[in-house]
């Protein structure tokens, strides 16, 4: 199979194992984002693909060629680093041309390639400047230019936007997305920022402690997190996770969360599980202040209102558990201060096994 | 970025205390200075020993420089000695030995720049390429050691090594059937031996500055170059050396500033009248004239000349470096 294939990849530093046999298939032209908290092994995985770290076990293949022992320069990958890794003594043109010069590409060809890349990235006016004379966004573009100019099979991005301020990050995110559409090169992007992951990725790989927790499209991960970790990592603010236990009555299973009872659909998974500890997942976005058809009410104590403009975050207390709701303001927040009841759309609830953290793969239905 | 920029930004907080816009004229500034002194007295206390050292050993002796323009007598004292204008400088430049000492100083310094200055840089680059940690540590320790040995002992080792009877150099030459040579009495051998000794003694220790500069190079520059296909040789030429170039230039400026200060102790210890022709430098000439012959005023004139030349050289080097490489001491 072409593309990038990681088969049971393991990385150990002495006795310390940081990547635990991950499997991943990345299709040609796909934009895959590895996301996870610090120390989850995402950068190590990327560096193994680049050849900057050796692979302890497993195989890495790019376009069907096993790359484990292939030198980085022969892997036909280009990498964009977190701190740009621009040569401070070279101007923009020479920075972009560096890889081509090393490969002894003819000068005329280098000049033409640099010019083309500079036009793509809007760097034409800055070619004679040194990195120290550029803004953060411009430096980032130069770093991308250096990767693009070699026309590699795979682009590797190691948290390339983390040094930029929030506004510039949003702008550069869009530029990377446009660039990927234009060039159509397989891209693997590492970030700890789930917003970057959601906005850029064709598919997201959520990693935790050296393992892959879930692979899927951004909406798959948002709507159907495989476990509590993914539910908590994807989405901002994260999914509310309310602890309770299962009960059953004549009408079927019920999740008892404090005083709140949530009627669950009948399911084999939930049969004969009375007393089983569960976690009910409710996305903050899936809560409304006003009653909507099919929703059920939950009584809360309002603690704090955070205004975001068009939306507001309501930090509340639900039977001693923290519960956050993200609601529309329509430009007016005065009515939010008196809120004591929120309404939840039952078909969007998630249920997790409290012990294993795994999704119980049923939709909760109604609350009482 | 220049060293000047670095230091000014570092001092910005301190300066801010003196330069706020709303402060009135001098009275306000004085109050602010006193207030600052009161708040930061610990810093000034730590600075004090260095300030005292500068005053006692560098500024106070400047008072004595005036004897370069006087017919100085230790009995009349500095103030009581009569002015003679530039008479001592005229004497100096009419003195063949002094002119020879200038020529020797410049020649030895130029050779030192040519061979002695690159040596620690090359050594640092070589150490940087050594991957075996314990081998690297051992090699570094060995090359640092001569720096900590007294110049007297260093000179003793050199004299012994080049001895015509028991010296290792002549012994090895003997194995090849060559006649023994009394190197230290032959003027043409003084400079190579002196420069070689300087490199042996100081190259290792001097490499520390460049190793520190190399350690400061962003590792991702190398990683990026590896992905781009650069080998170690290319990385050294295209990343390491350009990255430490500001440090190299600063060290070069300092070195140029000391161009008239050839290692006085080692020359005194290694030279002899037979090698004055190539070995006698300005400082040894001053030593002989000033201390041994008692011509303090003439020696002071020579010293002042030395200092002025060094000042001009360091200013020129700094300006050229700032203009061409954006790196400068100030």
């Amino acid at each position: 199979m072409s593309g990038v294939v990681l088969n049971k990849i393991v990385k150990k530093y002495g006795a310390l194992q940081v990547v635990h046999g991950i499997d991943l298939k990345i299709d040609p032209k796909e934009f895959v984002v590895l996301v996870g908290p610090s120390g989850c092994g995402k950068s190590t995985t990327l560096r193994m693909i680049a050849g900057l770290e050796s692979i302890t076990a497993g195989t890495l293949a790019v376009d069907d060629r096993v790359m484990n022992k292939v030198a980085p320069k022969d892997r036909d990958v280009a990498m964009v680093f977190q701190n740009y890794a621009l040569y401070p003594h070279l101007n923009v043109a020479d920075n972009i041309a560096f890889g081509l010069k090393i490969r002894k590409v003819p000068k005329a060809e280098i000049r033409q390639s640099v010019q083309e890349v500079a036009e793509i990235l809007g760097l034409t006016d800055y070619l004679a400047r040194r990195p120290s004379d550029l803004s953060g966004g411009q430096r980032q573009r130069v770093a991308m230019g250096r990767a693009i100019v070699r026309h590699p099979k795979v682009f590797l991005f190691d948290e390339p936007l983390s040094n930029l301020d929030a506004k510039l990050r949003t702008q550069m995110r869009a530029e990377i997305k446009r660039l990927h559409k234009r060039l159509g090169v397989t891209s693997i992007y590492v970030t700890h920022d789930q917003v970057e992951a959601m906005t850029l990725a064709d598919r997201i790989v959520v990693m935790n402690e050296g393992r892959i927790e879930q692979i899927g499209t951004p909406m798959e991960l948002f709507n159907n997190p495989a476990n509590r970790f993914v539910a908590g990592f994807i989405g901002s603010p994260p999914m509310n996770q309310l602890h309770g236990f299962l009960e059953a009555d004549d009408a079927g299973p019920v999740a008892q969360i404090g005083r709140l009872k949530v009627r669950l659909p009948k399911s084999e998974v939930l049969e004969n599980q009375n007393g089983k500890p569960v976690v009910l997942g409710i996305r903050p976005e899936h809560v409304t202040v006003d009653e909507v058809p099919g929703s059920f009410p939950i009584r809360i104590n309002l603690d704090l209102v955070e205004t975001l403009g068009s939306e507001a975050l309501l930090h509340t207390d639900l039977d001693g558990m923290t519960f956050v709701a993200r609601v529309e303001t329509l430009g007016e927040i005065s009515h939010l201060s008196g809120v004591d009841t929120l309404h939840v759309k039952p078909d969007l609830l998630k249920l997790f096994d409290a012990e294993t953290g795994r999704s119980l793969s049923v939709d909760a239905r109604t609350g009482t | 970025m220049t060293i000047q920029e670095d230091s000014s930004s570092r001092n910005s907080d301190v300066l801010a205390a003196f330069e706020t816009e709303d402060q009135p004229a001098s009275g306000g500034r004085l109050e602010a200075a006193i207030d600052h002194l009161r708040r930061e007295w610990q810093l000034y206390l730590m600075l004090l020993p260095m300030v005292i050292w500068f005053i006692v050993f560098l500024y106070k002796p400047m008072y004595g420089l005036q004897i370069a323009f006087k017919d100085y007598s230790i009995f009349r004292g500095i103030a009581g000695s009569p002015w003679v204008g530039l008479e001592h400088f005229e004497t100096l430049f009419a003195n063949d030995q002094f002119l020879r000492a200038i020529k020797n100083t410049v020649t030895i310094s130029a050779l030192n720049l040519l061979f002695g200055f690159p040596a620690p840089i090359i050594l640092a680059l070589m150490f940087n390429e050594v991957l075996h940690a314990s081998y690297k540590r051992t090699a570094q320790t060995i090359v640092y050691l001569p720096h900590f040995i007294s110049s007297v002992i260093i000179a003793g080792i050199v004299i012994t090594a080049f001895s015509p009877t028991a010296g290792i150099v002549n012994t090895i030459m003997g194995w090849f059937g060559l006649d023994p040579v009394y190197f230290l009495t032959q003027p043409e051998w003084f400079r190579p031996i002196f420069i070689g000794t300087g490199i042996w003694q100081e190259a290792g220790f001097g490499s520390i500055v460049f190793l520190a500069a190399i350690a400061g190079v962003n590792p991702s520059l190398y990683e990026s170059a590896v992905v781009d296909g650069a080998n170690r040789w290319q990385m050294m030429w295209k990343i390491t050396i350009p990255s430490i170039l500001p440090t190299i230039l600063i060290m070069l400026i300092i070195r140029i500033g000391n161009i008239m200060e050839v290692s006085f102790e080692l020359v005194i210890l290694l030279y002899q009248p037979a090698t004055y022709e190539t070995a006698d430098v300005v400082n040894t000439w001053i030593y002989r004239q000033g201390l041994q012959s008692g011509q303090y005023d003439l020696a002071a004139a020579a010293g002042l000349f030395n200092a002025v030349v060094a000042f001009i050289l360091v200013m020129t080097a700094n300006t050229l470096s700032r203009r061409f490489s954006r790196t400068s001491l100030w």
Side-chain angles (χ1 to χ4, degrees):
Chain A
M1 180 186 171
S2 57
V4 181
V5 180
L6 285 75
N7 184 25
K8 308 248 177 304
I9 293 283
V10 170
K11 179 65 189 175
K12 284 183 185 176
Y13 295 103
L16 179 69
Q17 185 162 350
V18 293
V19 177
H20 299 265
I22 60 172
D23 293 306
L24 178 63
K25 289 178 181 173
I26 299 166
D27 295 331
K29 300 187 179 182
E30 195 177 16
F31 198 118
V32 167
V33 176
L34 307 184
V35 68
S38 297
C40 72
K42 55 190 188 299
S43 283
T44 307
T45 303
L46 193 80
R47 289 167 63 82
M48 284 193 282
I49 297 170
L52 296 172
E53 298 281 353
S54 61
I55 296 169
T56 310
T59 53
L60 164 74
V62 177
D63 282 355
D64 296 327
R65 185 183 169 205
V66 174
M67 292 289 180
N68 291 45
K69 301 289 179 192
V70 177
K73 68 185 171 74
D74 299 322
R75 295 187 180 202
D76 206 3
V77 300
M79 189 157 170
V80 179
F81 291 82
Q82 182 175 0
N83 56 11
Y84 321 128
L86 300 180
Y87 305 115
H89 53 281
L90 300 181
N91 63 25
V92 170
D94 289 336
N95 261 290
I96 294 174
F98 187 85
L100 300 180
K101 283 182 182 170
I102 290 287
R103 286 159 198 261
K104 303 204 185 313
V105 174
K107 280 184 180 171
E109 201 179 313
I110 292 177
R111 209 173 304 124
Q112 192 188 341
S113 299
V114 169
Q115 200 58 43
E116 282 171 12
V117 166
E119 277 168 26
I120 291 171
L121 294 167
L123 290 169
T124 312
D125 295 337
Y126 306 103
L127 286 174
R129 290 198 195 173
R130 287 198 185 180
S132 57
D133 300 328
L134 301 176
S135 68
Q138 287 163 344
R139 285 180 206 180
Q140 189 53 63
R141 269 188 237 141
V142 178
M144 287 198 288
R146 211 168 54 186
I148 291 167
V149 78
R150 281 180 36 214
H151 301 294
K153 278 184 193 158
V154 184
F155 282 140
L156 306 174
F157 296 90
D158 188 6
E159 306 208 31
L161 305 184
S162 58
N163 285 356
L164 303 179
D165 62 50
K167 192 178 171 187
L168 204 52
R169 204 180 306 154
T170 310
Q171 194 184 322
M172 289 303 296
R173 216 164 55 201
E175 284 195 29
I176 291 174
K177 186 88 176 170
R178 264 186 232 115
L179 204 62
H180 178 253
K181 271 189 180 170
R182 180 172 176 170
L183 302 173
V185 176
T186 310
S187 300
I188 307 172
Y189 188 107
V190 160
T191 180
H192 62 267
D193 182 346
Q194 57 95 21
V195 178
E196 260 173 51
M198 293 291 280
T199 50
L200 284 169
D202 294 329
R203 279 192 305 153
I204 295 175
V205 178
V206 181
M207 292 185 69
N208 184 32
E209 295 181 348
R211 292 182 176 83
I212 292 177
E213 296 283 351
Q214 190 174 1
I215 304 172
T217 65
M219 290 316 290
E220 279 170 2
L221 263 57
F222 186 76
N223 290 327
N224 295 304
N227 53 43
R228 287 180 59 200
F229 179 81
V230 178
F233 199 83
I234 301 293
S236 179
M239 183 182 274
N240 293 292
Q241 299 191 18
L242 307 173
H243 289 259
F245 54 90
L246 278 180
E247 279 187 347
D249 58 21
D250 296 342
V254 171
Q256 181 76 48
I257 311 294
R259 284 172 295 154
L260 181 70
K261 281 179 185 284
V262 180
R263 171 76 55 204
L264 302 169
K266 286 182 179 173
S267 156
E268 282 184 14
V269 180
L270 304 179
E271 273 180 16
N272 303 319
Q273 298 282 342
N274 268 13
K276 181 184 178 67
V278 291
V279 173
L280 188 69
I282 305 175
R283 289 262 176 227
E285 297 83 357
H286 296 159
V287 177
T288 55
V289 174
D290 299 320
E291 189 176 355
V292 292
S295 68
F296 63 88
I298 52 173
R299 303 278 297 174
I300 48 91
N301 289 318
L302 185 62
D303 177 32
L304 175 72
V305 178
E306 275 187 305
T307 313
L308 304 174
S310 63
E311 293 176 320
L313 298 180
L314 307 186
H315 294 260
T316 71
D317 178 275
L318 175 65
D319 283 343
M321 291 176 280
T322 302
F323 186 87
V324 179
R326 186 173 193 139
V327 298
E328 286 188 355
T329 62
L330 300 174
E332 175 58 55
I333 60 162
S334 57
H335 65 289
L336 296 176
S337 58
V339 168
D340 61 359
T341 305
L342 294 169
H343 298 271
V344 179
K345 298 168 186 170
D347 52 335
L348 297 172
L349 300 182
K350 298 293 159 199
L351 195 68
F352 301 96
D353 186 320
E355 287 165 353
T356 64
R358 288 191 186 144
S359 170
L360 289 170
S361 305
V362 292
D363 292 327
R365 289 300 176 204
T366 55
T368 56
Chain B
M1 180 180 287
T2 67
I3 295 290
Q4 179 194 10
E5 285 166 351
D6 277 353
S7 60
S8 63
S9 64
R10 242 191 336 266
N11 292 333
S12 59
D13 289 347
V14 178
L15 293 174
F18 296 93
E19 294 176 356
T20 48
E21 281 178 11
D22 55 357
Q23 280 170 359
S26 57
R29 271 202 291 273
L30 183 66
E31 274 177 30
I34 292 168
D35 182 50
H36 179 74
L37 194 64
R38 199 172 291 137
R39 274 188 288 118
E40 308 287 354
W41 65 269
Q42 296 96 333
L43 289 177
Y44 290 98
L45 189 67
M46 285 192 280
L47 194 64
L48 199 59
M50 208 58 213
V51 171
I52 292 170
W53 185 88
F54 263 89
I55 291 169
V56 172
F57 292 106
L58 295 178
Y59 285 93
K60 189 175 171 291
M62 280 187 196
Y63 171 75
L65 276 179
Q66 58 181 295
I67 66 169
F69 305 96
K70 287 189 167 188
D71 182 14
Y72 176 69
S73 157
I74 52 171
F75 301 109
R76 288 193 294 257
I78 293 174
S81 299
W83 293 97
V84 293
L86 298 174
E87 189 185 305
H88 297 310
F89 292 92
E90 286 165 11
T91 310
L92 277 180
F93 289 106
N95 184 318
D96 289 343
Q97 285 187 4
F98 180 70
L99 295 177
R100 185 185 67 189
I102 292 176
K103 185 184 146 214
N104 284 341
T105 305
V106 171
T107 307
I108 290 173
S109 285
L111 289 170
N112 238 333
L113 268 185
L114 194 64
F115 298 104
F117 184 71
I121 302 170
I122 294 166
L123 207 54
L125 291 170
M126 286 164 68
F127 281 138
N128 189 49
E129 297 301 318
V130 178
L131 298 176
H132 195 283
S134 56
Y135 175 79
K136 186 176 176 176
R137 271 198 302 273
T138 310
Q140 280 177 293
T141 307
I142 289 169
V143 297
Y144 294 165
L145 275 179
H147 170 81
F148 299 100
I149 300 173
S150 152
S151 290
V152 177
I153 296 169
I154 292 283
I157 293 170
V158 170
I159 290 165
T160 310
F162 287 96
S163 154
T165 49
I168 187 164
V169 178
N170 275 304
T171 306
I172 293 170
M173 285 168 64
W175 295 344
F176 295 97
L178 297 169
D179 292 332
V181 178
Y182 196 174
F183 290 98
L184 289 171
T185 60
Q186 298 190 5
E188 67 271 25
W189 280 107
F190 179 82
R191 287 171 188 163
I193 290 170
F194 178 81
I195 304 253
T197 305
I199 292 173
W200 170 55
Q201 190 180 8
E202 294 300 336
F205 196 74
S207 70
I208 292 174
V209 173
F210 299 105
L211 274 170
I214 291 170
V217 179
N218 182 351
S220 63
L221 296 186
Y222 294 107
E223 292 182 337
S224 175
V226 165
V227 175
D228 278 341
N231 56 34
R232 291 189 78 86
W233 181 253
Q234 287 169 320
M235 282 193 277
M236 188 183 80
W237 279 105
K238 292 179 185 293
I239 299 173
T240 310
I241 292 176
S243 296
I244 64 167
L245 197 59
T247 307
I248 293 174
L249 287 170
I250 293 296
M251 298 306 287
L252 185 65
I253 293 168
I254 293 171
R255 189 87 173 220
I256 287 172
N258 290 330
I259 211 162
M260 299 302 281
E261 301 289 331
V262 173
S263 178
F264 167 76
E265 285 176 11
L266 201 57
V267 177
I268 285 276
L269 292 164
L270 288 179
Y271 83 162
Q272 45 189 296
T275 54
Y276 278 1
E277 183 188 335
T278 55
D280 191 22
V281 293
V282 173
N283 279 343
T284 50
W285 187 86
I286 291 171
Y287 167 73
R288 287 203 311 278
Q289 292 302 314
L291 293 181
Q292 292 186 331
S293 306
Q295 289 181 282
Y296 301 110
D297 40 14
L298 194 65
L304 186 59
F305 167 76
N306 229 6
V308 169
V309 171
F311 179 72
I312 292 168
L313 284 173
V314 82
M315 288 292 285
T316 309
N318 191 64
T319 308
L320 291 175
S321 176
R322 188 171 51 220
R323 185 166 300 168
F324 295 114
S325 71
R326 298 204 271 186
T327 302
S328 58
L329 264 177
W330 67 89

